[in-house]
Amino acid sequence: MTPLAQLATSNRGLARFCHATPTPRTALLGALLWAATMGASALVNLSLLDSWVTPDKIRTVSLLFAGGGALAFPIGLFAARLVSLGRGWEVAFAAAMVCLAAVTIGLTAGLYALQYRSYYAEWHAPVFTLTWGFQFAFTMAVALYQFVVLGIRLYFPLGFIALFAASLWFARQRR
């Protein structure tokens, strides 16, 4: 028995943490598939809009959604496993839906906010001043608001279908 396994058996919280951690293979393959699906969802939706005529903008937003999906899957999977540990498939399904959706939207919105902030950085005050702090906070808040208003719709319908399928897969795995 490894020292980590011995410690995990003596500490309940650490044992739950170890049981909730997905395998590296599942995390990597899931992240790649989730990234491709989230990027495709944004790409399909933006391609259908008439006002998004610039291929560079479509590519940037699609890559942003793919990056958010790639970062979100292992974290969302871990959170869903942690919440549903030792519970029925219904709880596992709901945990996967909520955790994957929240983490995917949250991380993608965070990436969007950082990209938005980098655009406006040249007009902001010098770094780490009080004025810069206010400008940083309000720029990030505005970017997050814009993502909620304009960005979440890019997940429908393909992203929602993928979320449902991933949640079913997760619930079946937890039986």
Side-chain angles (χ1 to χ4, degrees), residues 20-71:
T21 305
T23 64
R25 181 175 182 257
T26 302
L28 180 64
L29 292 176
L32 292 174
L33 184 61
W34 196 246
T37 307
M38 295 303 108
S41 179
L43 181 65
V44 167
N45 279 300
L46 291 175
S47 297
L48 296 175
L49 293 175
D50 291 335
S51 60
W52 280 77
V53 293
T54 313
D56 286 340
K57 288 182 182 180
I58 293 173
R59 189 174 322 128
T60 300
V61 173
S62 297
L63 287 173
L64 184 85
F65 272 66
L71 293 173

Side-chain angles (χ1 to χ4, degrees), residues 160-175:
F160 185 75
I161 294 167
L163 178 63
F164 188 79
S167 299
L168 279 177
W169 166 80
F170 179 77
R172 289 186 62 126
Q173 296 292 328
R174 303 304 293 172
R175 278 199 227 178

Side-chain angles (χ1 to χ4, degrees), residues 32-129:
L32 292 174
L33 184 61
W34 196 246
T37 307
M38 295 303 108
S41 179
L43 181 65
V44 167
N45 279 300
L46 291 175
S47 297
L48 296 175
L49 293 175
D50 291 335
S51 60
W52 280 77
V53 293
T54 313
D56 286 340
K57 288 182 182 180
I58 293 173
R59 189 174 322 128
T60 300
V61 173
S62 297
L63 287 173
L64 184 85
F65 272 66
L71 293 173
F73 187 82
I75 298 168
L77 183 62
F78 171 75
R81 288 174 61 121
L82 191 62
V83 168
S84 67
L85 201 60
R87 298 203 170 106
W89 72 269
E90 300 92 348
V91 174
F93 178 78
M97 286 280 278
V98 170
C99 292
L100 279 175
V103 173
T104 301
I105 290 169
L107 284 175
T108 306
L111 289 177
Y112 174 77
L114 288 173
Q115 191 277 336
Y116 186 91
R117 165 56 185 100
S118 70
Y119 175 77
Y120 285 104
E122 84 179 74
W123 296 289
H124 282 195
V127 178
F128 300 122
T129 61

